[in-house]
Structure formats: structure tokens, C-alpha cells
């Protein structure tokens, strides 16, 4: 119901304003009629609003960034697309590419991953892409990490596992997502020492490394882009 304080104030003003003594009775009747007319107009928009209620905002896609990576100066972006009422597909890409203090420090990572998600609970009572979910993810990339004289390069690494997460709505188009993944990470690496004022790399050894445990932790800010659909699914 679209009720405004202005309309109510005008209606009360017509009823309780000072009356003319000679024609007070007639003026009172006229003002009462006008009052009811104004009050009636309050309900006119209701029909349009009832139709608008049949238009439910459904997310077409969600754009995200992992705030933990952002705090570590590691730019990243994610895109999630709902697939029906219970499933969604999430893709992520991370691309920090920094060298600092004359190549004394290096943080270069190009990595991507895909994750299929199943959203738990009664989805008819929850907005899409909100609540608890379980997922399976897999991805890979390459890296060059250096701290002073020591560094490691990996031409390719892979990571895969299962995840659990929860997404909470914090505004009309904003949400906050918490996500943790447990799985396996496998990489081949080359260890090197930086010489000649960090301009020459002296290779030390090659090796393989496998990690089993947490492979991702995310606190993501989510921006949802909606599309309006009528009840029943027609656009």
C-alpha cells in the first residue's frame, strides 16, 4: 500500500481546518467528501503494486571479489551463475603480478578455478544464491614467488576438493559470502637464488609438492545483478 504522510496531512487539514461560521456545516460536508476522496486515492496504487509483487527479482549472475585476497594486494574476480533453483556454477580468476623494490620481492600468480554448488534448504522460501551450500571445485595456474634471495617458480599447479559456504544478504544487491575448501594441491616447482642485485636467477633444484588440507578460504563481497520474472517463470 503506497501511503504518504503528505496525503494524510492534506486529508486531516480539510477536516479539522477552521470553518466559516455561516456556511460551516456545508463546508464541513464538502471537506469530509474531499477527505474521503484523498483517502481513496491512497488505495489506487495498490492494484499496480499487487501486479508488481508478481514480479520477483531473480539473480541473473553475481560478481564477486575475495576481500582476503584484496587485503593482500592480490586482485581477483569471480562470476557465479544460477542453474535452476538449487544449483549454480562459480568461476574465479586471480591475477596478482607484482615485483617490488628492484625485484627483491615477487608475487606473480595466474590462477583460475570452477566450482559447482548445490544450495541447501527449502529454496522456495529463500532467495537464490543465499544460505548454505556445498560445492566441488577444481582449478590450476602458475606462479613465481620470491622473498629476497629465495624464490620458487611453478609452471603449473592443480587443486581440487570439496567446499562449504554460506551467503548472507546485506543489502538489496549486496551479499557477503564465506567459503572454505578442503582438498589436494599438487605442484611441480623450481627453487632458485637471486644474484647480482636480484637480476640473475641461479637454479637450485626441482621438486614436487603435495598438500592435503584447506586449499582455499574466502570472504567475498558479492554484487548481484537481477532480472525480473513473473511468477511461474515467464519473463
Amino acid at each position: 500500500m503506497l501511503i504518504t504522510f503528505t496525503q494524510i496531512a492534506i486529508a486531516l487539514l480539510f477536516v479539522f481546518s477552521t470553518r466559516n461560521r455561516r456556511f460551516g456545516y456545508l463546508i464541513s460536508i464538502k471537506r469530509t467528501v474531499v477527505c474521503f476522496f484523498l483517502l481513496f486515492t491512497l488505495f489506487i496504487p495498490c492494484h499496480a503494486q499487487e501486479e508488481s509483487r508478481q514480479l520477483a527479482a531473480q539473480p541473473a549472475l553475481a560478481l564477486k571479489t575475495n576481500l582476503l585476497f584484496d587485503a593482500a594486494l592480490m586482485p581477483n574476480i569471480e562470476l557465479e551463475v544460477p542453474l535452476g533453483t538449487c544449483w549454480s556454477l562459480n568461476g574465479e580468476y586471480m591475477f596478482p603480478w607484482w615485483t617490488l623494490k628492484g625485484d627483491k620481492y615477487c608475487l606473480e600468480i595466474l590462477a583460475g578455478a570452477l566450482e559447482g554448488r548445490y544450495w541447501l534448504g527449502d529454496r522456495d522460501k529463500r532467495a537464490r544464491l543465499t544460505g548454505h551450500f556445498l560445492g566441488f571445485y577444481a582449478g590450476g595456474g602458475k606462479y613465481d614467488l620470491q622473498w629476497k634471495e629465495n624464490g620458487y617458480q611453478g609452471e603449473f599447479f592443480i587443486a581440487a576438493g570439496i567446499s562449504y559456504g554460506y551467503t548472507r544478504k546485506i543489502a538489496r544487491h549486496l551479499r557477503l559470502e564465506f567459503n572454505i575448501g578442503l582438498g589436494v594441491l599438487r605442484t611441480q616447482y623450481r627453487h632458485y637464488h637471486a644474484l647480482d642485485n636480484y637480476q640473475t636467477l641461479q637454479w637450485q633444484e626441482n621438486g614436487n609438492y603435495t598438500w592435503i588440507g584447506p586449499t582455499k578460504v574466502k570472504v567475498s563481497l558479492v554484487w548481484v545483478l537481477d532480472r525480473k520474472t513473473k511468477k511461474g517463470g515467464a519473463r
Side-chain angles (χ1 to χ4, degrees):
M1 182 184 300
L2 300 179
I3 298 177
T4 65
F5 289 104
T6 303
Q7 289 173 300
I8 295 176
I10 293 173
L12 294 177
L13 179 62
F14 270 98
V15 175
F16 297 108
S17 60
T18 303
R19 299 172 180 173
N20 183 291
R21 292 183 179 181
R22 183 175 179 181
F23 302 102
Y25 180 75
L26 293 177
I27 294 176
S28 176
I29 293 177
K30 291 180 180 178
R31 288 175 175 171
T32 302
V33 172
V34 174
C35 174
F36 278 105
F37 175 79
L38 290 173
L39 291 175
F40 177 76
T41 61
L42 300 179
F43 297 91
I44 293 177
C46 291
H47 178 69
Q49 188 175 10
E50 288 299 323
E51 290 184 349
S52 67
R53 286 177 180 174
Q54 295 179 358
L55 296 175
Q58 296 292 349
L61 58 88
L63 297 175
K64 314 178 187 180
T65 183
N66 187 345
L67 300 178
L68 301 180
F69 286 165
D70 294 333
L73 301 180
M74 301 168 64
N76 64 98
I77 189 170
E78 297 182 49
L79 177 66
E80 185 172 10
V81 179
L83 304 174
T85 57
C86 296
W87 292 91
S88 67
L89 181 64
N90 188 78
E92 58 185 77
Y93 185 62
M94 178 173 56
F95 47 96
W97 205 258
W98 313 121
T99 55
L100 303 173
K101 294 187 176 181
D103 297 333
K104 187 176 182 179
Y105 305 100
C106 177
L107 175 61
E108 297 179 347
I109 303 175
L110 294 178
L114 289 175
E115 179 180 14
R117 294 177 172 181
Y118 179 78
W119 294 85
L120 305 174
D122 188 351
R123 303 317 304 174
D124 292 333
K125 296 181 180 180
R126 275 191 173 274
R128 291 184 186 178
L129 305 183
T130 62
H132 302 269
F133 64 85
L134 298 175
F136 175 80
Y137 62 92
K142 64 180 183 178
Y143 60 89
D144 186 353
L145 308 175
Q146 179 184 331
W147 184 267
K148 297 183 179 180
E149 290 80 14
N150 288 304
Y152 293 87
Q153 281 188 2
E155 289 302 320
F156 188 72
F157 73 87
I158 59 174
I162 58 175
S163 67
Y164 163 77
Y166 176 76
T167 301
R168 179 181 180 83
K169 187 174 182 179
I170 58 176
R172 181 178 179 182
H173 293 286
L174 292 179
R175 296 170 186 178
L176 199 61
E177 177 186 302
F178 305 89
N179 189 9
I180 184 170
L182 302 176
V184 58
L185 183 147
R186 174 78 173 175
T187 182
Q188 294 181 343
Y189 67 87
R190 295 190 296 173
H191 178 213
Y192 64 84
H193 284 166
L195 306 175
D196 300 329
N197 198 27
Y198 310 106
Q199 300 305 307
T200 302
L201 303 182
Q202 184 180 56
W203 302 108
Q204 301 299 305
E205 75 275 350
N206 299 339
N208 296 313
Y209 179 76
T210 301
W211 163 263
I212 299 176
T215 56
K216 69 171 179 176
V217 177
K218 298 196 299 183
V219 179
S220 299
L221 182 64
V222 185
W223 179 38
V224 177
L225 295 143
D226 291 335
R227 68 171 181 270
K228 289 186 177 182
T229 58
K230 289 185 177 181
K231 289 184 177 180
R235 296 189 71 180

